[in-house]
Structure formats: structure tokens, C-alpha cells
Amino acid sequence: MSRDGGYDRYLTIFSPEGRLYQIEYAMKAVQSSGVLAVGVRGTDSVVLACEKKVKDKMIDPSSVTKLFNITPKVGAVVVGYVADGQSVVQRTRQEAAEFEYKNGYPMPASIMAKRVADLAQVNTQHAGRRTMGTDIMLVSVDDEMGPQLYKVDPSGHYFGYMAVAAGSKNQEANTLLEKKVEENDAMNLEEAIRAAIMTLQQTAASDFKSDEIEIGIVADSKSPFTRLSEAEIEDHLTAIAERD
């Protein structure tokens, strides 16, 4: 028996091949979202970049975003189902607030990623729940550990990365990121931003306008997670075009 035997109808039942189809479907939902996001870790900074797609001309573009602040110094990008992503962000903010209230200091990104992964994994154990159809990346620059970049998938699986992609065409983007890290594994902030932009462009096989991508950065351990303005993004796009 395979998925035709009904094994893909239940979240908590393994198929004879040892697979949980509903989790695989959740991951496919992320990959088929039509949006690609990348994260790049520099020597003293970290960058998130993602495509910005406004599906309807009547939608206010300023209300469309995949980038979020979890705490002032921890940023996130979510890819997949929009509502699921917003729910994950809201729960992560709640967990971060409770951690700081109980412990007296902000929740580090490493602990945050583990907590988000734990919550995601619990969803895979109960038939009455549904896995979230979203990947989330978390970034910060820790006082002790330096730049941090984590990705959590719907199964509750998470790792720290030097660079990583999520969403549409993520495998192709990860291959490009691997090459860029091999060429330069000690990027400064400007190099990390441009590596992220170039990965988006090369994966999509097209050039972007400044209003078609979003970029968030943590410049150092003292700086908050901030979004680049369209003018700042345009400066980087121009520099990349002139170099090419």
C-alpha cells in the first residue's frame, strides 16, 4: 500500500515506506509558494532577502511583506502560506516576550529557533493539528556567538547556516549560495547584501526593480533588525549592474 491506500490522509500515520506524506505536502506547499527567500551570514552581520510579489493592483504594496521583527534585534522571513507564516511569527513573538519576562534578557536566536522547531514538531504528533505550511528563517548578531542564521521547516527540523534559501527554486538557489560562500566565506555587510540579491536574480533569471525585493539586515551586535529602503536597494542593484 502507498499513498493510494490512505496513508496521506493522516498526519500521524507512517506509510510502510516510513514516510509521513502530510509533512511532505507541507514542504511542497512552501516550495510552490512562488516566492524565494535567502539568508546570508557575514563576518559581523547577517542579511535576509526575498522576492516581493503583489498579486493584485488594488492591494497597497506597503501592506505586503515577508520580513518581520520578532524582537528589536531578531528578524525573520517567512515563506509559504501567508496566514500560516503570520501565525508562526505571532507565536514566536509571544515566546520571545515570555522568555524575556521570565529570564530578564532577550531571547537569543538559537534558543528561539529551537523553540519554534519544537512547536512545529509537536504539530506532527497530533491528529487534530495541522503542520504549518511555511519555512521561517531567524537572524541576529549575538554578543557572544556573532552572526546567527537559522531555518526551521514544517517538520520541526532546524539548523544554523552560513547561507540558505527557502521557497520556490530553493535547491537552485542553495547551489548558487554554496558557490558564493566558497568564493568568499568572510563577507562584509555590503558583500552579503549583494550576494543575496545576485542569488535572487540568478535563480529567477531576471533583474529586479527596487520595489520587487525586500532586504532586512542586522549590521552588528548593537544594531536592530532593519529593512533597507527602496533607494538603498536601488543603490545595490545599480552597483551590481555596473559590475556585470
Side-chain angles (χ1 to χ4, degrees), residues 3 6-13 15 19-29 123-124 127 129-133 154-155:
R3 67 184 69 190
Y7 290 105
D8 65 337
R9 299 180 184 178
Y10 303 97
L11 177 63
T12 57
I13 298 178
S15 75
R19 299 167 66 179
L20 290 172
Y21 286 112
Q22 286 297 322
I23 295 176
E24 293 181 19
Y25 295 163
M27 293 180 178
K28 287 182 180 179
N123 286 336
T124 70
R129 298 189 182 185
R130 175 176 68 79
T131 54
M132 293 293 188
S155 70

Side-chain angles (χ1 to χ4, degrees), residues 3-104:
R3 67 184 69 190
D4 295 329
Y7 290 105
D8 65 337
R9 299 180 184 178
Y10 303 97
L11 177 63
T12 57
I13 298 178
F14 285 94
S15 75
E17 295 82 19
R19 299 167 66 179
L20 290 172
Y21 286 112
Q22 286 297 322
I23 295 176
E24 293 181 19
Y25 295 163
M27 293 180 178
K28 287 182 180 179
V30 176
Q31 295 173 2
S32 62
S33 63
V35 174
L36 174 67
V38 300
V40 180
R41 196 178 74 188
T43 54
D44 56 2
S45 58
V46 63
V47 175
L48 290 176
C50 67
E51 297 172 290
K52 181 174 182 177
K53 295 184 178 180
V54 182
K55 297 183 178 181
D56 193 317
K57 293 182 179 179
M58 299 301 290
I59 295 176
D60 180 1
S62 65
S63 68
V64 178
T65 184
K66 300 286 185 184
L67 296 176
F68 300 91
N69 280 83
I70 304 301
T71 66
K73 292 188 177 183
V74 178
V77 63
V78 289
V79 182
Y81 283 130
V82 175
D84 284 5
Q86 292 174 340
S87 177
V88 171
V89 166
Q90 189 62 30
R91 179 60 187 270
T92 308
R93 286 172 173 169
Q94 178 183 341
E95 293 291 333
E98 291 179 358
F99 181 95
E100 185 167 3
Y101 179 77
K102 292 177 180 178
N103 296 280

